[in-house]
Amino acid sequence: MTTADPRLPRPATILDVARVAGVSRQTVTRSLNGLPDVSAATRERVVQAARDLNYRPNRAAQGLVKGRQVTVGLVLDDLRNPYYPEVASEFSRAATARGWGVLLCDLGHDASVARESLASLVPRVDVLVSLMPLGDLREQVAGVPTVEVDTDPDGGAQGVIEIETRTAVRSALDHLRAAGRSRVAMIDSGVDGSGRALAYRDYLAEHGLAWSPASEVRVEQTHADGVRAVAELLRAYPDADALLAFNDVLAIGALKGLARLGVVVPDDVAVVGMDGLDLGSLVTPELTTLSIDKAELARVAVGVVADMLAGAEPPRRRVARTLLLRESA
């Protein structure tokens, strides 16, 4: 009898079963789906290995063998944030081109509702793509192949698509410093300082630029919070000559807040967002931003899903941000 390796991550993959049983991945697929050209002894060995490893054949593997359409669950944080509809639209196009169906799951901000939403979604999909780190919600999707976007690559996720931040933040600050800006403030989001804020602080320290707790404010990711945050920042840090925002929604809120205060952008304060939303080209002045190519992100995500459906080890991928210069900086 085979013995499960306690070092294996859970859930076990089809490659784990193949390794323990001493057969190919294709033989595992054929054995577990009752297909011909597999000896009784081999089939028994594969089935026993799957039991010992607590391997649960997912809907995706069965669907590929039986010709059923693959269904992807796309999980996002809040459809009111225009970043998520933009990415979801590109992902839906890329998935449809492969003949896949997509089910959307908007988790919102209520933890109990989020758990119920995921619990309802999991039985109906072959694989999950989350446009946000799942964190404590990962236990809700155990047993389903899962890809997380914009998450810590060492944070315990299966498939990971990292959206590069540190180099991008440095490129924005390089641009601001070259333009003579020396007192850069930041609107951050989250309970603790984000990776974007840490990159910002490190850059300022490295180049001898001013920083103090007053030069940062942390708020929720809404337009209204951007308006409020910039007023709070300028009260505490009135000499700020540039502003870096956690995302474009906050940056656009900051543009409105600065206009209300009679601050001219970019003459008095330059503003840089992060995301590259289409909305940034519709405001005045148009928003300079660290842009993500949403179509590329969707193509990468679909490629990762395809690899996982084919039984590959959960991959790690990276998507870059690019400094998109417009009028605000």
Side-chain angles (χ1 to χ4, degrees):
M1 177 181 294
T2 56
T3 302
D5 185 347
R7 297 170 298 175
L8 286 174
R10 289 294 180 264
T13 71
I14 193 170
L15 293 180
D16 298 327
V17 178
R19 178 180 57 79
V20 172
V23 298
S24 69
R25 178 179 61 79
Q26 290 80 6
T27 299
V28 173
T29 298
R30 300 186 73 81
S31 298
L32 296 181
N33 287 278
L35 297 177
D37 301 326
V38 179
S39 70
T42 297
R43 191 186 310 278
E44 182 178 351
R45 190 165 73 251
V46 169
V47 170
Q48 188 60 55
R51 287 173 180 163
D52 291 343
L53 290 171
N54 195 30
Y55 172 70
R56 190 185 99 186
N58 58 56
R59 281 172 40 98
Q62 296 168 344
L64 289 172
V65 170
K66 298 174 182 177
R68 178 178 50 76
Q69 183 189 55
V70 170
T71 301
V72 183
L74 185 64
V75 179
L76 48 84
D77 185 47
D78 188 351
L79 273 172
R80 293 173 298 180
N81 182 333
Y83 168 79
Y84 291 110
E86 285 193 20
V87 177
S89 175
E90 294 291 349
F91 182 85
S92 179
R93 290 171 185 264
T96 299
R98 294 216 180 206
W100 300 347
V102 178
L103 292 179
L104 201 63
C105 181
D106 181 0
L107 294 185
H109 296 288
D110 186 294
S112 62
V113 172
R115 291 181 185 279
E116 291 175 4
S117 297
L118 280 179
S120 173
L121 180 69
V122 163
R124 297 184 287 155
V125 301
D126 303 306
V127 63
L128 286 172
V129 174
S130 177
L131 300 181
M132 49 180 271
L134 286 173
D136 293 341
L137 292 173
R138 282 193 196 117
E139 63 186 35
Q140 298 295 121
V141 300
V144 178
T146 303
V147 181
E148 293 182 37
V149 177
D150 202 13
T151 191
D152 180 355
D154 300 317
Q158 295 179 43
V160 170
I161 301 173
E162 180 185 1
I163 298 180
E164 198 286 323
T165 296
R166 191 172 186 85
T167 301
V169 168
R170 294 179 69 85
S171 70
L173 294 173
D174 278 342
H175 171 71
L176 292 172
R177 188 164 65 95
R181 313 286 176 163
S182 60
R183 296 178 63 82
V184 185
M186 181 167 187
I187 301 176
D188 194 22
S189 187
V191 177
D192 301 312
S194 67
R196 306 170 201 200
L198 296 178
Y200 151 81
R201 293 176 202 167
D202 288 347
Y203 183 96
L204 296 189
E206 179 183 333
H207 291 86
L209 300 177
W211 180 87
S212 75
S215 66
E216 286 186 39
V217 64
R218 192 168 297 116
V219 295
E220 296 296 328
Q221 299 177 39
T222 70
H223 176 268
D225 277 303
V227 175
R228 177 176 62 81
V230 76
E232 181 180 334
L233 267 175
L234 291 187
R235 282 195 298 269
Y237 200 60
D239 295 331
D241 58 13
L243 172 64
L244 182 67
F246 179 88
N247 63 18
D248 282 1
V249 170
L250 289 173
I252 291 169
L255 290 178
K256 177 181 282 188
L258 290 168
R260 289 178 176 177
L261 294 170
V263 177
V264 179
V265 178
D267 295 358
D268 300 329
V269 176
V271 178
V272 179
M274 297 190 213
D275 284 340
L277 298 181
D278 293 342
L279 185 61
S281 65
L282 303 180
V283 297
T284 301
E286 293 187 7
L287 180 66
T288 291
T289 181
L290 293 170
S291 179
I292 303 166
D293 185 330
K294 315 301 187 306
E296 179 191 3
L297 175 58
R299 287 193 296 270
V300 171
V302 165
V304 170
V305 169
D307 288 346
M308 294 180 74
L309 293 181
E313 290 291 338
R316 301 288 191 267
R317 298 287 186 271
R318 175 178 285 194
V319 174
R321 298 177 191 266
T322 303
L323 180 60
L324 176 58
L325 293 176
R326 294 188 182 126
E327 298 168 349
S328 70

